[in-house]
């Protein structure tokens, strides 16, 4: 394909040529006024001369036509993957490719449209990014394979790309019905045992249900409330948090009657609320003074969330002189108030080298034992007194303390060691290499037939023992030498992290549970972890419930840290529920955007302004089928029954150019001489 045009390349500047042309016109005019016989030939002479000086060229360009471009937007957002829409879109994509391949001069470019977890489906953001990369003069049509759920439609769609039709091919059905549950308001954290509330709403589309909709509410997998919700009305549901850390609140609306509901994904909503204690109240009772007396006080006072009540018994037994106990203090020791009235208000009671001296009646120590059995926490840091006649074990506390003193006290250097259970337990796992720790020099020997020994000392005898008693927890640290690590003796040791973890485990911090199940999102899958001290093999099985309700068994394998793990690809969008006995965990590896969840029914309304502004069309793939394509010119309709149009752009590229003089110099010279001689001859006849 070639085309020609004439251009000029003057030998002289334009102003000079203009001057010569004016001079020629004057001379011709003078000749006409004098009625000269050769004025015609003079005119031809001047015309040929000026033409030669203008140097006209014939330029011939060889052109190669370019293909017109069709942009195909393929929706891979979360909403486009439900109810078989992804298969419908994929089948349409393959069929359109085949139809366009049969049309000469058409090139197809695909644009994948995904969703943002905060912004929803960003179809036009993806479109604008691709338009910035291509030659828009060749763009013949934009075809969007989508469910129509788009959240970034431009305010002025007419400026998107004038002259290019936008065709929306909708995957889905125009008559879809759906039920949606939304948690409108929920706190991110709340105080334990303080009243909280979440606000939820259930909607039915396109017509609300006439009856109340059953809604089940669960906390960490356990049902705590069942209500009837009126469609379209917000309902406040009270919630009471009874444990620190994360609590997963799940609300689930019953499915619609019949089998016509679009999806059950948005029938369920979850929210995580962090339970926090207003203040952690700790009662610390210290016995005979020793170098580590202030270890616990310094540790607990360093935490601004801890309210510490600390009493120290300063009078050692050898100073007994008959003075009544009530007269040994400047203020009366509030025994009854602390150990009877306010005892349930404490989160932890610590006895640091405390021995019976008549200060606390046995009935109060019985209250402490009952406090533990009902959910409290007790820590006993034992000194030599524990092995003697005044030992705390010879009180009602014996029924909650896991270790019974043997009467032997080891007074020699040793390095604390971590047991097998200790390497798995969050209190002592990952504390470092015991070979690098400094020595301790005293250990109280015990006999224990319950509890878990996490650390050992002399001759592998128990040094740190943890136990669960009733609803509460107990720990025994069978040495008063932890302060040596704080002083850096022989390099010290992990005194602060060990004691801090121990305290928080006693107060039931979820991160330190030895029996724990967790799940987290990683890419398009989820990683499941199960921590347990009850290892009976290299594998463990948990039950996973997909968002659709489908259950499956997942095998976990033990890793080098003694934790059972598994990675599971996620094939569905929404929240997965993992259960192992009484433990429940939740994860959303491919979580639907909250914006997407506002409406999951396929629609053409969102894209209608763009379609109308560009002269495109809207087709429902499930109803109208796959359209045919036609090449249409400017000013022609871009769609009709069963077909959609591609605007013909007639774009091309130049592959070669040839240039020839319109008036060759030799011919021009001959013509000039000829006209000049003819003019001279004609005028000479007079």
């Amino acid at each position: 394909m070639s085309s020609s045009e004439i251009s000029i390349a003057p030998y002289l500047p334009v102003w000079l040529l203009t001057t010569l042309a004016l001079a020629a016109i004057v001379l011709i005019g003078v000749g006409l006024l004098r009625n000269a016989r050769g004025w015609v030939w003079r005119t031809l002479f001047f015309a040929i001369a000026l033409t030669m000086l203008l140097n006209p060229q014939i330029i011939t360009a060889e052109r190669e036509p370019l293909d017109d471009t069709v942009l195909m937007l393929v929706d891979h957002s979360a909403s486009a993957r439900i109810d078989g829409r992804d298969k419908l879109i994929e089948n349409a994509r393959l069929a359109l490719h085949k139809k366009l391949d049969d049309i000469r001069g058409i090139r197809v470019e695909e644009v994948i449209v995904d969703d943002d977890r905060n912004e929803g489906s960003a179809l036009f953001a993806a479109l604008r990014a691709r338009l910035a990369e291509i030659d828009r003069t060749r763009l013949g049509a934009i075809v969007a394979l989508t469910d129509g759920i788009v959240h970034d439609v431009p305010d002025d769609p007419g400026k998107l790309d004038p002259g290019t039709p936008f065709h929306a091919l909708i995957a889905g059905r125009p008559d879809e019905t759906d039920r949606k549950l939304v948690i409108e308001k929920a706190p991110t954290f709340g105080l334990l045992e303080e009243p909280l509330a979440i606000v939820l709403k259930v909607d039915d589309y396109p017509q609300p249900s006439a009856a109340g909709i059953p809604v089940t509410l669960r906390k960490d997998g356990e049902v705590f409330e069942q209500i009837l919700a009126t469609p379209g009305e917000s309902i406040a549901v009270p919630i009471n948090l009874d444990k620190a850390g994360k609590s997963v609140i799940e609300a689930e609306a019953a499915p619609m009657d019949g089998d016509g509901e679009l999806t059950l994904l948005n029938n369920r909503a979850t929210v995580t609320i962090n339970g926090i204690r207003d203040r952690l109240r700790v009662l610390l009772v210290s016995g005979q003074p020793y170098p580590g007396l202030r270890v616990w006080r310094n540790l607990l006072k360093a935490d601004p969330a801890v309210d510490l009540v600390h009493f120290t018994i300063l009078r050692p037994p050898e100073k007994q002189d008959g003075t009544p106990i009530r007269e040994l203090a400047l203020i009366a020791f509030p025994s009854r108030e602390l150990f009877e009235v306010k005892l349930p208000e404490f989160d932890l009671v610590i006895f640091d080298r405390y021995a019976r001296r008549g200060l606390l009646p046995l009935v109060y120590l019985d209250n402490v034992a009952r406090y533990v059995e009902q959910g409290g926490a007790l820590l006993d840091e034992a000194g030599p007194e524990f092995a003697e006649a005044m030992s705390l074990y010879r009180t009602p506390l014996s029924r909650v303390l896991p270790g019974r003193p043997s009467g032997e006290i080891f007074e020699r250097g040793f390095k604390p060691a971590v047991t097998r259970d200790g390497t798995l337990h969050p209190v002592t796992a990952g504390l470092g290499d015991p070979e690098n720790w400094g020595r301790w020099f005293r250990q109280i020997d015990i006999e224990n037939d319950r509890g878990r020994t996490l650390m050992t000392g002399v001759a592998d005898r128990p040094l740190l023992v943890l136990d669960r008693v009733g609803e509460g927890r107990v720990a025994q640290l069978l040495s008063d030498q932890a302060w040596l690590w704080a002083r850096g003796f022989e390099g010290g040791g992990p005194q602060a992290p060990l004691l801090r973890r121990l305290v928080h485990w006693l107060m039931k911090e979820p991160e330190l549970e030895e029996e724990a199940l967790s799940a987290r999102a990683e890419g398009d899958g989820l990683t499941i972890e199960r921590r347990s001290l009850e290892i009976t093999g290299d594998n463990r099985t948990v039950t996973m419930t997909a968002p659709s309700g489908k259950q499956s068994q997942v095998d976990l394998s033990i890793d080098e840290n003694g934790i059972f793990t598994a990675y599971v690809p996620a094939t569905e969008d929404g929240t997965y529920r993992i259960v192992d006995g009484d433990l429940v965990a939740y994860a959303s590896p491919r979580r639907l955007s909250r914006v997407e969840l506002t409406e999951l029914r396929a629609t053409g309304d969102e894209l209608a302004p763009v379609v109308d502004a560009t002269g495109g069309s809207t087709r429902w793939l499930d109803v109208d089928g796959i359209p045919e394509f036609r090449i249409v010119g400017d000013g022609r309709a871009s769609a009709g029954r069963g077909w959609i149009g591609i605007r013909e752009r007639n774009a091309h590229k130049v592959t070669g150019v040839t240039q020839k003089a319109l008036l060759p110099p030799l011919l021009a010279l001959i013509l000039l001489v000829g006209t000049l001689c003819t003019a001279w001859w004609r005028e000479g006849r007079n």
Side-chain angles (χ1 to χ4, degrees):
M1 177 179 174
S2 63
S3 62
S4 300
E5 60 181 17
I6 297 176
S7 67
I8 60 172
Y11 293 116
L12 299 176
V14 175
W15 65 269
L16 182 56
L17 288 174
T18 303
T19 302
L20 293 175
L22 291 174
I25 292 172
V26 170
L27 291 175
I28 293 170
V30 171
L32 286 173
L33 291 175
R34 293 181 177 183
N35 198 21
R37 292 178 179 270
W39 70 270
V40 174
W41 297 103
R42 289 176 184 272
T43 302
L44 289 174
F45 173 81
F46 287 130
I48 293 171
L50 289 172
T51 301
M52 183 183 69
L53 292 174
L54 286 172
N55 188 25
Q57 302 285 323
I58 300 175
I59 298 177
T60 302
E62 296 295 331
R63 299 181 178 182
E64 180 180 326
L66 295 176
D67 294 341
D68 290 336
T69 301
V70 174
L71 276 185
M72 187 181 298
L73 307 178
V74 184
D75 193 347
H76 284 184
S77 65
S79 61
R81 294 194 292 265
I82 65 174
D83 197 37
R85 293 175 185 172
D86 51 346
K87 294 182 180 179
L88 197 60
I89 289 175
E90 179 62 15
N91 292 337
R93 185 187 72 85
L94 296 175
L96 292 178
H97 268 290
K98 185 175 181 180
K99 291 177 182 292
L100 290 169
D101 289 344
D102 294 337
I103 302 177
R104 186 177 180 181
I106 297 297
R107 182 171 63 94
V108 182
E109 286 198 18
E110 282 193 14
V111 180
I112 302 301
V113 179
D114 213 331
D115 56 339
D116 183 271
R117 291 195 171 189
N118 297 317
E119 302 298 331
S121 296
L123 183 143
F124 287 95
L127 174 59
R128 281 189 290 268
R130 182 54 64 90
L131 288 176
E133 300 172 354
I134 67 173
D135 181 1
R136 298 177 69 163
T137 63
R138 299 167 56 188
L139 185 59
I142 301 171
V143 180
L145 295 171
T146 176
D147 58 1
I149 303 174
V150 179
H151 303 98
D152 65 343
V153 177
D155 296 331
D156 191 356
K159 295 182 179 179
L160 180 66
D161 198 356
T164 302
F166 185 101
H167 303 292
L169 306 185
I170 308 298
R173 304 184 307 276
D175 58 346
E176 292 171 338
T177 59
D178 192 28
R179 172 169 290 169
K180 177 184 69 176
L181 183 147
V182 176
I183 296 179
E184 297 182 317
K185 295 180 182 179
T188 56
F189 64 90
L191 299 177
L192 298 187
E193 306 300 339
E194 292 290 332
L196 300 172
I198 62 171
V199 179
L200 58 86
K201 183 170 71 172
V202 182
D203 287 306
D204 283 350
Y205 299 97
Q207 296 295 329
S209 172
I213 301 171
V215 176
T216 301
L217 293 108
R218 300 180 180 89
K219 180 172 63 178
D220 294 331
E222 297 293 329
V223 176
F224 72 91
E225 187 76 56
Q226 290 183 320
I227 61 175
L228 287 178
T230 302
E233 292 186 6
S234 298
I235 303 173
V237 181
I239 295 174
N240 185 43
L241 300 181
D242 54 6
K243 71 178 181 67
K246 295 180 179 179
S247 291
V248 178
I249 308 301
E250 178 184 13
E252 183 176 9
M256 301 179 76
D257 294 334
D259 299 326
E261 187 171 358
L262 171 64
T263 178
L264 298 180
L265 281 176
N266 52 356
N267 287 43
R268 180 193 307 157
T270 59
V271 63
T272 300
I273 304 176
N274 280 297
I276 59 175
R277 296 181 176 92
D278 183 16
R279 303 287 291 178
L280 299 174
R281 303 198 64 196
V282 178
L283 173 60
L284 172 60
V285 181
S286 300
Q288 179 176 338
Y290 72 107
L293 179 65
R294 297 185 61 86
V295 167
W296 288 109
R297 179 178 177 84
N298 293 341
L299 177 72
L300 296 169
K301 291 297 288 185
D303 190 341
V306 172
D307 280 340
L308 177 64
V309 178
H310 184 192
F311 286 94
T312 302
I313 312 302
L314 296 176
R315 190 175 180 85
E318 62 270 16
K319 296 284 184 73
Q320 296 292 344
D321 57 7
T323 304
I325 290 177
R326 64 179 179 274
E327 298 178 11
L328 291 177
L330 295 177
I331 60 174
F333 186 56
S335 304
R336 180 179 179 278
E337 182 179 9
L338 289 177
F339 291 93
E340 187 172 329
V341 179
K342 293 187 176 294
L343 183 61
E345 298 179 8
F346 288 99
D347 298 293
L348 172 64
V349 175
I350 301 176
F351 286 110
D352 182 14
R353 287 194 57 173
Y354 181 80
R356 291 189 300 121
R357 297 175 184 170
L359 182 65
L360 295 179
L362 294 181
V363 65
Y364 289 165
L365 296 178
D366 183 69
N367 289 345
V368 175
R370 190 160 48 251
Y371 153 82
V372 171
E373 294 166 342
Q374 294 175 355
L378 172 66
L379 171 60
D380 176 33
E381 183 175 29
E385 302 84 2
F386 190 72
E388 298 172 355
M390 304 301 288
S391 170
L392 274 179
Y393 194 82
R394 301 180 183 277
T395 71
L397 288 178
S398 62
R399 70 174 188 264
V400 297
L401 292 174
R404 179 179 65 257
S406 67
E408 186 173 1
I409 302 175
F410 302 115
E411 298 274 2
R412 61 177 182 270
F414 66 93
K415 286 189 176 183
V418 179
T419 66
R420 174 187 171 280
D421 283 349
T423 61
L424 301 176
H425 202 291
V427 170
T428 48
L431 286 178
D433 186 1
E435 291 298 323
N436 299 325
W437 297 347
R439 290 179 297 167
W440 294 1
F441 291 90
R442 181 155 51 215
Q443 180 178 350
I444 314 305
D445 187 40
I446 63 166
E447 301 292 338
N448 66 309
D449 54 7
R450 68 173 192 260
R452 290 189 180 275
T453 301
L454 304 188
M455 298 178 69
T456 57
V458 176
D460 292 330
R461 300 299 295 163
L463 180 63
L464 175 62
V465 181
L466 273 56
D467 194 17
R468 294 172 182 260
V469 180
E471 298 296 323
R473 302 184 181 191
V474 179
Q476 276 186 296
L477 182 58
L478 298 159
S479 175
D480 58 351
Q481 301 279 296
W483 61 273
L484 290 172
W485 281 355
R487 301 281 181 89
F489 177 75
E490 294 185 347
Q495 175 258 351
L498 172 63
L499 299 185
R500 187 178 298 111
R501 291 184 192 180
L502 183 58
V503 167
H504 285 283
W505 177 84
L506 286 165
M507 292 190 288
K508 303 178 182 179
E509 290 297 322
E511 292 79 7
L512 293 167
E513 292 293 333
E514 65 271 33
E515 297 292 330
L517 176 67
S518 65
R520 65 179 183 273
E522 286 191 6
D524 284 341
L526 56 91
T527 296
I528 303 172
E529 292 184 348
R530 175 69 164 93
R531 181 190 295 274
S532 177
L533 302 184
E534 303 293 342
I535 298 178
T536 57
D538 294 336
N539 296 284
R540 196 181 188 105
T541 302
V542 298
T543 302
M544 182 176 72
T545 304
S548 63
K550 180 181 178 182
Q551 287 191 348
S552 59
Q553 301 298 311
V554 179
D555 292 327
L556 311 181
S557 300
I558 195 168
D559 64 11
E560 65 277 7
N561 297 318
I563 299 175
F564 295 94
T565 64
Y567 178 81
V568 183
T571 58
E572 299 181 21
D573 296 293
T575 302
Y576 285 75
R577 185 170 183 258
I578 300 93
V579 178
D580 185 6
D582 295 333
L583 301 177
V584 182
Y586 295 86
S588 301
R590 298 169 69 188
R591 179 175 60 86
L592 279 174
S593 165
R594 290 187 181 274
V595 180
E596 292 256 302
L597 282 172
T598 58
E599 179 59 77
L600 291 178
R601 294 186 305 148
T603 177
D605 296 341
E606 297 294 332
L607 295 173
V610 180
V611 170
D612 295 340
T614 60
S617 62
T618 300
R619 300 282 193 275
W620 289 84
L621 292 172
D622 201 39
V623 177
D624 304 318
I626 309 295
E628 300 293 333
F629 287 98
R630 291 185 187 178
I631 306 298
V632 297
D634 290 337
R636 302 288 298 276
S638 298
R641 174 178 288 184
W643 64 273
I644 57 178
I646 302 173
R647 190 72 64 193
E648 188 175 25
R649 292 301 191 180
N650 295 318
H652 62 272
K653 68 178 180 179
V654 177
T655 59
V657 177
T658 58
Q659 182 174 320
K660 293 182 179 179
L662 180 63
L663 186 63
L666 180 60
L667 177 60
L669 181 61
I670 293 173
L671 292 175
L672 286 174
V673 172
T675 54
L676 182 61
C677 291
T678 302
W680 175 78
W681 174 79
R682 185 73 180 83
E683 292 177 356
R685 294 184 63 185
N686 294 332

